[in-house]
Amino acid sequence: MIASLLLELLAKSVLVAGAGLILAALLSRRPATDRVIVLRAVVGLLLALPVMALLGPDLTISTPVAAAAPAPETLLVVPSDPAWAGEVTPVAGVTLSGSVGYPSPVALLGAAYAIGALLVLGRFLLGLATLWSWTVSGRQVRDPAWTEPLSRLKGSGRPPRLIASPAAPAPLSWGLPPGVILIGSRQLAQPQEASAVLAHELAHLRRGDWIFLTLSRVALALFWFNPLVWRLHAELAAATEDAADAAALRHVDRGAYARTLLNLASTLTPQGATGMTGPARSLKRRIARIMTTPKSAPSRPLALAAAVGALIAIATPLAAVQLAPPAPPTAPSVPAAPTPPTPIAGAPAAPSVPLPPAPPAPPAPPALPALFQSGHMVVDGEMVIVNGQRRPLTAEERAEVDAALAEARRATEEARVHAREARAHAVEMAAQHRAEAREIAAHARALAADARVQAAAARADARVHLAGAADQMDAGAREMRRTAEQLRDPAFRAEQIRENAERGHTVTDEELRAMIPRLLEQADQMEAQADELRSRDL
């Protein structure tokens, strides 16, 4: 039962998560908010799969793989009554559970699933406890350099709590609306980064990113055995950060925002929160996108609705599918054990009850003629020895001996026929079992072939994505080098200082010159990483 359930969950989650990842990849050139909507819908469908399976119609598919559990055995009971000595009585409906003292494979599989789910969920809950501890132990930020940008950027509604905690490694946000924004001592001492940090974290809170990433982690705990669900969670986290970046750039200069991300490059976001740094592996890609991507194209609500509707159309009938083992052949009915009669002195033992299925019973031996029952001995079919004296057989005795010989020949022929029937029965049963084994093996080979095809398709898709990512990183590196060359020009630096001053930001010529080696170093790293991606062997 547990093995069938896990196999069912794996198959359904692979199809739903795979469809969502493919659809998100097709939207890679669309705004990040479009990808976020699709990936959120996929997370919701994963969580709704058990509910839809319970409330929707059932569509059972028989599969030999799900019928791997051993068939129940019949318990044999030997009565202790002396009158029934040697009698074996089958008792139907009693199942032997295997070796005593060892857990069954089904129990081990269920325990492994529960341990994995608890580990994933426990890690997330530990992150939430850490965030709560930082929030409670922190202090409310009252510095005007931070409170004024917060008032300007928050829009309508209640502002979030802005807490400074020495333990917070990076700016992050969490909690239900209006939420909490945590900053560390390092960020508190750099008020020039306040607008960029607050614009990003307020975008997270306005969009409800923390709630959906929490639901994604719950789905991760339920389907932790599916690598596609892990990939789905990573894609959702990356797309969420891209969408927050795009929202923040409506209020903050690109260059100042990129510098803030560079300053935060060494910090990580803990479990349970959405932070400005996001996943560390995506920081270079985000900086390159910020510096090179033009203004985002407008979202297309009708296209998104059609995409989400397609996902629901896939998941709804899929949730109703249930994998079930094929119905086993009907076993022959076992006769009820008769009540032992009261023992009578000198009475023969009661006949034993045969265990089904069994070949036809052998014929009974012929009855002995009176000549042989009297203790006489016939010699060569011609003479008889009576009381130690030898004499010829009479005509009646000879007829009796001939009749006994004919009956013996008839019984021998019946025994031969019975033996042939028993052999034919055994051959038929063996052929039936071989046919069932061949059918199961053919189905297993078909499943293995499908798995190989899917794995090859996944590798090909991964190669395409790696090549695209490498091209993007090379483009970002070229843009960084171009920006570094522009910063060598005093006139360009003066123009940047003037533009930032018009936006209320103070940038010095020394800071812009200091960015040149950092941009070149980042470009070298991105090119090296692009070469590494192209050289990976999948």
Side-chain angles (χ1 to χ4, degrees):
M1 179 65 181
I2 295 180
S4 299
L5 179 61
L6 291 180
L7 180 63
E8 184 177 319
L9 288 175
L10 176 61
K12 293 179 180 180
S13 60
V14 162
L15 292 177
V16 173
L21 288 173
I22 292 173
L23 186 56
L26 294 176
L27 298 175
S28 60
R29 297 186 180 277
R30 299 297 304 161
T33 52
D34 293 359
R35 300 197 305 277
V36 170
I37 292 173
V38 170
L39 294 173
R40 286 178 177 181
V42 176
V43 170
L45 289 175
L46 287 175
L47 294 176
L49 277 179
V51 179
M52 290 191 291
L54 290 176
L55 300 182
D58 292 338
L59 178 60
T60 303
I61 296 179
S62 178
T63 169
V65 178
E73 303 175 11
T74 302
L75 181 64
L76 301 180
V77 179
V78 180
S80 58
D81 195 319
W84 290 73
E87 190 66 24
V88 178
T89 304
V91 179
V94 181
T95 302
L96 301 180
S97 61
S99 303
V100 178
Y102 296 95
S104 65
V106 174
L108 292 176
L109 184 62
Y113 171 77
I115 291 173
L118 289 176
L119 286 176
V120 176
L121 193 59
R123 183 166 176 253
F124 173 60
L125 293 178
L126 182 61
L128 287 182
T130 302
L131 291 174
W132 176 259
S133 174
W134 292 351
T135 303
V136 172
S137 62
R139 59 184 179 84
Q140 187 81 23
V141 176
R142 304 190 183 281
D143 187 350
W146 287 87
T147 57
E148 290 179 1
L150 179 63
S151 300
R152 185 180 73 253
L153 296 171
K154 72 177 182 61
S156 60
R158 294 169 53 195
R161 297 171 58 195
L162 182 58
I163 303 296
S165 173
L172 52 93
S173 58
W174 74 288
L176 298 174
V180 177
I181 297 178
L182 283 173
I183 59 174
S185 301
R186 174 187 172 189
Q187 287 80 45
L188 188 62
Q190 295 178 344
Q192 70 275 10
E193 297 178 352
S195 295
V197 169
L198 293 176
H200 183 92
E201 301 306 333
L202 284 171
H204 278 311
L205 294 175
R206 276 194 298 266
R207 294 168 43 81
D209 291 335
W210 181 82
I211 298 174
F212 286 97
L213 287 176
T214 297
L215 294 177
S216 178
R217 289 185 178 94
V218 174
L220 199 61
L222 290 177
F223 301 97
W224 61 267
F225 50 83
N226 184 354
L228 288 182
V229 178
W230 289 85
R231 179 65 178 173
L232 176 70
H233 177 74
E235 289 291 334
L236 177 58
T240 297
E241 294 303 326
D242 290 341
D245 289 340
L249 288 176
R250 299 191 189 103
H251 309 282
V252 184
D253 176 69
R254 289 175 181 265
Y257 192 80
R259 285 194 300 274
T260 302
L261 285 179
L262 283 174
N263 291 335
L264 297 172
S266 61
T267 59
L268 300 176
T269 301
Q271 283 282 322
T274 55
M276 188 171 181
T277 57
R281 60 182 178 277
S282 67
L283 193 56
K284 295 177 182 178
R285 175 188 57 81
R286 290 171 58 197
I287 294 175
R289 176 171 294 184
I290 290 168
M291 299 302 296
T292 61
T293 303
K295 184 179 179 181
S296 298
S299 181
R300 296 179 180 176
L302 292 180
L304 285 179
V308 174
L311 289 174
I312 296 175
I314 293 173
T316 301
L318 181 65
V321 175
Q322 294 182 0
L323 302 181
T330 304
S333 59
V334 180
T339 305
T342 305
I344 301 176
S352 61
V353 179
L355 290 175
L368 291 176
L371 175 64
F372 297 96
Q373 295 177 359
S374 63
H376 299 169
M377 181 179 295
V378 177
V379 179
D380 296 333
E382 299 290 338
M383 304 296 292
V384 64
I385 300 176
V386 181
N387 297 328
Q389 296 182 358
R390 183 185 179 98
R391 67 172 177 80
L393 290 171
T394 63
E396 292 80 3
E397 291 173 340
R398 183 179 297 279
E400 187 177 1
V401 169
D402 291 341
L405 291 175
E407 183 66 20
R409 285 192 292 272
R410 184 192 63 79
T412 302
E413 183 62 26
E414 289 183 357
R416 290 194 185 98
V417 171
H418 173 266
R420 286 196 296 271
E421 291 178 353
R423 285 194 295 272
H425 179 77
V427 170
E428 180 182 359
M429 294 298 293
Q432 180 180 354
H433 289 307
R434 283 196 297 271
E436 293 177 354
R438 285 194 295 270
E439 182 180 355
I440 292 174
H443 189 79
R445 287 193 295 271
L447 289 177
D450 290 342
R452 288 193 293 270
V453 171
Q454 292 179 3
R459 287 195 297 271
D461 187 60
R463 292 190 187 98
V464 172
H465 283 294
L466 287 178
D471 292 340
Q472 289 182 358
M473 296 185 73
D474 282 339
R478 288 194 298 269
E479 182 62 22
M480 284 187 175
R481 293 187 186 280
R482 187 180 67 82
T483 303
E485 289 300 324
Q486 289 178 337
L487 288 175
R488 298 181 188 276
D489 185 4
F492 181 78
R493 293 198 299 270
E495 182 181 357
Q496 293 296 315
I497 293 172
R498 181 182 55 78
E499 290 179 357
N500 279 274
E502 291 175 355
R503 297 188 184 97
H505 302 292
T506 302
V507 180
T508 64
D509 187 76
E510 182 180 356
E511 289 177 343
L512 293 177
R513 288 198 306 273
M515 284 186 63
I516 295 174
R518 293 165 61 182
L519 288 173
L520 294 175
E521 181 182 358
Q522 290 288 334
D524 293 338
Q525 293 176 359
M526 292 179 70
E527 289 174 347
Q529 192 169 0
D531 294 338
E532 180 185 355
L533 289 178
R534 291 192 180 92
S535 63
R536 285 186 183 177
D537 185 16
L538 297 178

